[in-house]
Amino acid sequence: MAGKTIVLTGASDGIGRAAARALRQRGDEVVLVGRSAGKTAALAKELAADHHVADFARLSEVRDLAATLLDRHPAIDVLVNNAGAIMGSRTTTPEGHEATFQINHLAPFLLTTLLLPRLLTAGGTVVTTSSLLNTRARLDLDDLDAVRRYSGSRAYANSKLANILFTRELQRRHGEDGLAAASFHPGVVATNFSGGGDSAARLLYHTPLKRFLLTPEQGADTLVWLATSRPGADWAPGGHYEKRRPSAVHRLADDSGLARRLWERSQALVELA
């Protein structure tokens, strides 16, 4: 049986790189998307895979990426929204959005929306990397860019709850069309995550404590499982998972009204409304 065509963002390092290798070993066609041109090209050469470079801090690059993917790939079976970041100091993107919120939520929202017709044609799956830290969110739809109140950890938690709300609203809107969506928590993984910023997360990811964390391969396991198994049989679409099991979510994750309003605000922010 022919493998799936899987578009994987955040593929040049960490759990993305581990997942790409695991998926390629299965015989799937993995389309790599990374921010680092050198790392992404090196992995693409290793895996004999197509690759693209895009910085999710620039929505123009996300739009260009979507156009290129649609041009090169007549079928897209799975989209894995795995790219992510955490900032310490508040920074803004060229579009004027708080960077953590844009990179972790608005960019994958835009990419998914632009690829949606191709995914629907395939009866495809959308997998989004979230975090257990979604449970610490204090999401304010009137201050999504954290202009009035900012902390790096809160911005990250808010973006991870947004990932789950997006997943559930995507499933509500398009589940009957054959699409399946899921989010997952990879665990606390020994990667270079946060290495380029000034977040306090560096204290965990870039000290000797790192040796106590999960390996990238362990963190990628649930991603690979969701991308390659059977929605509705092996896992429930719309769910949030960790270690291939349902995982804890913020009490607001089940608020369908909030999910709908976040979707509508996100459309407006990326100028898709």
Side-chain angles (χ1 to χ4, degrees):
M1 180 181 296
K4 297 180 177 182
T5 298
I6 302 173
V7 175
L8 173 61
T9 73
S12 61
D13 216 335
I15 67 170
R17 181 168 59 189
R21 287 171 172 156
L23 291 166
R24 196 72 183 94
Q25 287 174 358
R26 282 177 35 90
D28 295 307
E29 178 188 354
V30 185
V31 181
L32 309 174
V33 179
R35 184 171 65 89
S36 166
K39 289 182 179 180
T40 307
L43 183 62
K45 182 178 180 179
E46 173 192 330
L47 301 180
D50 192 12
H51 73 286
H52 309 276
V53 176
D55 184 352
F56 279 17
R58 296 179 178 273
L59 293 181
S60 61
E61 294 194 19
V62 177
R63 293 179 187 277
D64 290 344
L65 170 64
T68 301
L69 290 170
L70 291 171
D71 180 61
R72 291 193 189 180
H73 301 283
I76 298 175
D77 299 295
V78 181
L79 169 62
V80 181
N81 292 312
N82 174 63
I86 182 171
M87 308 295 172
S89 303
R90 185 180 184 277
T91 58
T92 56
T93 67
E95 291 81 10
H97 301 301
E98 190 276 316
T100 299
F101 178 67
Q102 176 168 312
I103 294 168
N104 293 357
H105 171 66
L106 286 180
F109 174 87
L110 176 60
L111 181 62
T112 304
T113 304
L114 294 174
L115 297 183
L116 193 55
R118 192 65 46 89
L119 288 160
L120 289 173
T121 298
T125 297
V126 177
V127 178
T128 301
T129 304
S130 181
S131 169
L132 182 63
L133 290 176
N134 82 86
T135 57
R136 295 188 174 184
R138 296 182 182 179
L139 191 64
D140 181 355
L141 292 186
D142 293 323
D143 191 28
L144 290 172
D145 285 316
V147 174
R148 294 195 297 269
R149 189 174 184 182
Y150 176 83
S151 79
S153 59
R154 180 175 297 161
Y156 183 76
N158 287 345
S159 73
K160 296 293 103 178
L161 175 57
N163 291 154
I164 296 172
L165 290 166
F166 161 66
T167 295
R168 296 192 170 183
E169 182 65 7
L170 180 64
Q171 185 63 41
R172 187 190 70 79
R173 288 175 179 244
H174 297 289
E176 292 185 357
D177 301 325
L179 189 78
S183 57
F184 79 102
H185 168 54
V188 185
V189 181
T191 70
N192 290 323
F193 184 68
S194 81
D198 60 353
S199 165
R202 290 177 304 164
L203 299 177
L204 178 60
Y205 289 98
H206 302 280
T207 70
L209 292 173
K210 188 173 180 177
R211 69 181 185 273
F212 297 108
L213 308 183
L214 297 178
T215 66
E217 290 73 21
Q218 289 171 321
D221 177 72
T222 298
L223 184 163
V224 173
W225 171 66
L226 290 167
T228 60
S229 56
R230 300 167 300 167
D234 298 316
W235 49 272
H240 179 66
Y241 296 90
E242 178 186 4
K243 296 181 179 177
R244 304 192 180 194
R245 297 182 178 87
S247 182
V249 294
H250 195 287
R251 59 181 177 79
L252 292 177
D254 294 321
D255 187 333
S256 59
L258 178 64
R260 175 183 54 78
R261 293 192 300 275
L262 175 63
W263 183 286
E264 292 169 352
R265 294 285 180 91
S266 301
Q267 282 183 312
L269 290 173
V270 300
E271 299 181 347
L272 282 177

